[in-house]
Structures are given as structure tokens and as C-alpha cells.
Amino acid sequence: AATPHKKPPANEPAESPVVIPSARQIVSIGSATDSYAFTFHEEELNAILSKIPPGWKVSVVSVVGAFRTGKSFLLSWFLRYLERHCVKKGGSSIACADGEATDKEWYERVQTLNQHEGSFDWRGGTARNTTGMWMWSDPYFLPRSSGEDVAVLLVDTQGMFDHETTVGLTAAIFGLSTLLSSYQIYNVDKRIQEDNLQQLALFSEYGRMAFEAEEKAAAMGVIEAEETAENKAEETSANAVKKVALGKEPFQRIDFLVRDWQNFDTEDETDIASMEQEMSEYLEHVLAERTASDLKETREQIHSCFKEVGCFMMTHPGFAVIKNKYEGDVSKIDSLFLRLLARYCERVFSSGRLQPKTVRGRELSAVELGTYIKSYALMFEEIGAHFPKAETLLE
């Protein structure tokens, strides 16, 4: 006879279902009545922030850029790096630092980016994949050079210029990403073009307009200011130049991450240091002062918004990766791409470079960050697609 299923004793608690980490949507685009509605999901954000101990500072790393340029793929690699190098993961008391004894590099031990095993939602092909804004469900805790640990949150954003999203919504997504990030990564294809700079200058100005509309608020971001983002659109480029002189950049760091770069002079594929030197020289050339007024003002605008601007370049990952049927087999990824990827992970998450989110010089805790994000997300939600005309900002 079959053995009957035994129930656990009454005094033993039932096992909790295993919650698999995943990306959680904190901003969605579109509703049943308005296909362009901007909706903030506060409960999703609070569930993530609740995993960070009280008083701990928080670093937010986000990726923005055109659609279908590998943002979610990059963030999935960030997850693999953090799994190997963090002190512990949010929601768990178990340390996640890598204790595996092997001579292999961390990325050589990753066999797949299979999305069932914990990844941001990515896929090959040309169709749009990510919509709105997504934050990883678990924070990762990393050491800082100051001796304290910092909680790291990863944020993915809807791709820009997908033929479906209005300029106003694109500005809202980019602007909110800029406002909440301590380290923002602007994904660009093959080279930094002048339109990339103009888009960054424009959309970061939307973020700064929102920031300055809240200047009367407390450091945690409680809404008190009466001026709206539309009122701020009347500022002229002379004001922007004045702000450069004041040195009060509202945002921390942005990197141009150039994908599918083809022009390294260095022939030795193991000489990453020489490649990094080329990257620095390239950025210096791109951001060098120009005599033409529009080119000059674009660069001044960027420098007036960000305390630090960096650049990194990665080669093509291999043609197998961009096919629709690709499912994450790491063995099919180009070896130079993997080496550059590993170096970039080290740069972004190094203890000396990784900084908490700061507002007016104050490092934010998880509770303060939540209040701060909520205030701006609700502002963008209220404005919706009715953003100021772009030409009034950077004439």
C-alpha cells in the first residue's frame, strides 16, 4: 500500500516558499486609458529598500540609452559580478563572497546568463524588450574604501528612441534615472556622436529642472516647492553657464559606455591598460571645448550637471549573441569582450569609486532614498507626457 503523506508536526513552522530574485518594475508606462501614462509603483520600491538595514547608505547604478543596445545584458553581467564579490545579499544573512578555489577568473566560471537563474530580462533581436524602469529585487552589500559597507541597487530603463515612446516620456525616464543614480551609465553604439551629447544635455536638464523645483525641500526630498517643471523651462543658457561657475553640479557620475567599439590601436588583446588610456584620450577629444556656440553650450551643460564624466569601451560580443535564438551560453561570447567587461565591472564597483547617493552633499540612507525617489517619481507622474518644449531648454 502507498505510504500516506505525513503532515509536519503542529509545532513546526511550515517552510516558506523560496523567493527567486528578479527585476521589479518601479515605473510602468501605459495604462488601460492612457498608453503614455507614467505610473510609479511605490510598493515595489519599498519592498526592495526594506531589505537594507536602517542607517546604511545606498549606491544606485543605472543604465540608460537607445533601445536594443545591450543594457539589460550588461546589468545581468553586473549581477554575476556582484554575486561573486559582495559581502552579502539583501534579504539574506548568508555571505555571497566567492569562496570557490580555482585559478579561473570570475567570468570564466559563469556558464550561462539563463534568465531562469537570475537575470534582467534580455533577449537578442531587434524588438523592444524593457519598458518603464526596473530595479533588482535584492541589494548587494559591498565594502567602501572608508571602511563602511554600502548597499548597491541596480536599475534598468526603457530604451530611448523606440518609435513608440514620446520625447516627453523619454525625458521623464532618463530624468528620473539621473535623479536617483549615484552612478549612471549612458549606453551608446559604436562611438560618442554629437547627438548623444545633445540628448544627454537635454534629458539631464529635465532632471535638473525637477531637482531645482525641489530646492526648498528638505534633503530627504519632501515636496514643498511651488514652482513646477514647466516654470523652470524659461531658464536660459546664461543661467546654465552661471551654474557652471558656481560648481554646484546636482548629479554625481556618468559614464559613456561605448558598445561594439572597433578602433583600438592596441593590437595586444590582453593589454587592457593601453586600451583604457585610449578611452581617456578619446573622451578628452570628444568633450574638448569647441568654438561653435551650440557645441560649446552642449558640453557646458553636461559639465554643469555631473561632477564626474567618464568613458569606457567594449568590443562586439560576437554575432551568436545578437541572434534571436541565443539563450545565454557564455562560451559563445568573444573573449576580448569578456575581458573588457570584467575590467568595467571592477571600475564601477571598486571600493574607491563606488559612492552612495548624495543630495546636497548628504549621503542618503535607504529610507531617505525612498522618500527622495517618491517625490520626483510623483512629480513626473503628475506631469505625464506634458513636458516643456525641448527647444526652450537648450536654445
Side-chain angles (χ1 to χ4, degrees):
T3 304
H5 179 70
K6 293 183 179 181
K7 295 182 179 179
N11 59 347
E12 287 187 15
E15 291 186 7
S16 301
V18 177
V19 179
I20 299 175
S22 62
R24 309 301 300 173
Q25 191 166 34
I26 61 172
V27 170
S28 61
I29 302 299
S31 66
T33 57
D34 183 356
S35 57
Y36 299 115
F38 181 103
T39 305
F40 171 55
H41 301 287
E42 184 180 0
E43 70 287 352
E44 295 285 6
L45 176 66
N46 289 342
I48 297 168
L49 295 178
S50 68
K51 298 177 183 180
I52 301 173
W56 278 51
K57 303 303 185 286
V58 188
S59 178
V60 184
V61 179
S62 71
V63 184
V64 295
F67 81 116
R68 308 309 304 155
T69 54
K71 297 183 299 298
S72 303
F73 188 71
L74 173 72
L75 282 161
S76 295
W77 274 108
F78 281 179
L79 287 173
R80 298 300 189 274
Y81 178 87
L82 290 170
E83 286 282 353
R84 299 281 183 175
H85 294 86
C86 70
V87 177
K88 69 174 184 176
K89 187 164 58 173
S92 170
S93 60
I94 302 174
C96 54
D98 185 17
E100 187 178 343
T102 176
D103 293 331
K104 291 184 177 181
E105 297 289 346
W106 67 269
Y107 58 89
E108 293 176 324
R109 283 170 272 160
V110 178
Q111 295 182 340
T112 180
L113 289 185
N114 188 302
Q115 296 172 63
H116 299 296
E117 298 178 15
S119 288
F120 281 86
D121 188 22
W122 62 267
R123 64 169 178 261
T126 59
R128 182 177 71 174
N129 198 40
T130 304
T131 59
M133 296 181 67
W134 298 73
M135 181 178 286
W136 193 249
S137 59
D138 289 356
Y140 290 86
F141 302 108
L142 292 179
R144 292 173 62 189
S145 55
S146 62
E148 300 176 340
D149 290 344
V150 63
V152 179
L153 298 172
L154 299 182
V155 177
D156 195 7
T157 58
Q158 177 174 328
M160 302 185 296
F161 317 121
D162 59 2
H163 311 298
E164 298 178 42
T165 308
T166 66
V167 173
L169 278 176
T170 298
I173 294 166
F174 198 116
L176 183 58
S177 171
T178 303
L179 281 159
L180 64 83
S181 299
S182 53
Y183 200 126
Q184 190 173 31
I185 298 167
Y186 184 15
N187 218 44
V188 300
D189 185 39
K190 295 184 176 62
R191 63 187 60 82
I192 303 173
Q193 302 189 103
E194 193 61 30
D195 61 347
N196 298 135
L197 299 177
Q198 292 168 352
Q199 291 151 10
L200 175 60
L202 173 63
F203 296 139
S204 59
E205 179 63 7
Y206 279 118
R208 182 164 69 178
M209 285 163 52
F211 182 82
E212 291 181 353
E214 299 295 306
E215 275 292 351
K216 295 178 183 178
M220 291 190 300
V222 179
I223 298 178
E224 293 178 357
E226 296 178 354
E227 292 181 305
T228 64
E230 290 95 333
N231 298 143
K232 286 294 179 177
E234 299 301 322
E235 292 183 349
T236 65
S237 59
N239 293 43
V241 174
K242 182 180 178 182
K243 290 165 194 164
V244 176
L246 291 174
K248 294 183 179 179
E249 306 92 342
F251 310 126
Q252 288 167 263
R253 181 181 179 89
I254 190 162
D255 277 356
F256 289 96
L257 181 60
V258 183
R259 308 297 289 269
D260 301 351
W261 180 255
Q262 302 173 3
N263 302 310
F264 282 124
D265 293 331
T266 306
E267 294 185 4
D268 183 356
E269 292 195 352
T270 64
D271 190 0
I272 303 298
S274 294
M275 295 180 194
E276 287 187 283
Q277 180 60 35
E278 291 184 41
M279 297 173 198
S280 297
E281 293 170 356
Y282 177 76
L283 180 64
E284 185 177 352
H285 169 72
V286 168
L287 295 182
E289 187 172 337
R290 301 294 196 270
T291 54
S293 61
D294 58 338
L295 303 182
K296 182 178 180 180
E297 288 174 7
T298 295
R299 286 154 179 78
E300 288 175 343
Q301 179 70 24
I302 292 170
H303 284 301
S304 74
C305 281
F306 297 94
K307 292 181 175 68
E308 296 180 89
V309 181
C311 175
F312 198 84
M313 299 165 172
M314 292 199 293
T315 52
H316 196 285
F319 289 106
V321 177
I322 62 176
K323 294 181 178 179
N324 284 320
K325 62 182 180 181
Y326 179 69
E327 296 184 351
D329 184 352
V330 175
S331 68
K332 296 181 179 180
I333 300 178
D334 178 74
S335 59
L336 177 55
F337 175 89
L338 287 174
R339 283 193 290 272
L340 289 166
L341 170 71
R343 177 58 186 142
Y344 190 56
C345 289
E346 293 166 3
R347 282 175 53 136
V348 172
F349 300 109
S350 67
S351 59
R353 181 169 294 188
L354 191 66
Q355 298 296 322
K357 175 62 184 177
T358 63
V359 177
R360 304 176 187 90
R362 174 189 174 90
E363 295 182 350
L364 299 189
S365 67
V367 171
E368 292 167 335
L369 178 67
T371 306
Y372 172 84
I373 293 174
K374 178 182 176 181
S375 67
Y376 291 111
L378 292 178
M379 174 187 288
F380 285 126
E381 185 175 80
E382 182 178 351
I383 295 172
H386 307 293
F387 277 77
K389 297 289 185 181
E391 58 267 22
T392 65
L393 291 175
L394 297 174
E395 289 177 334

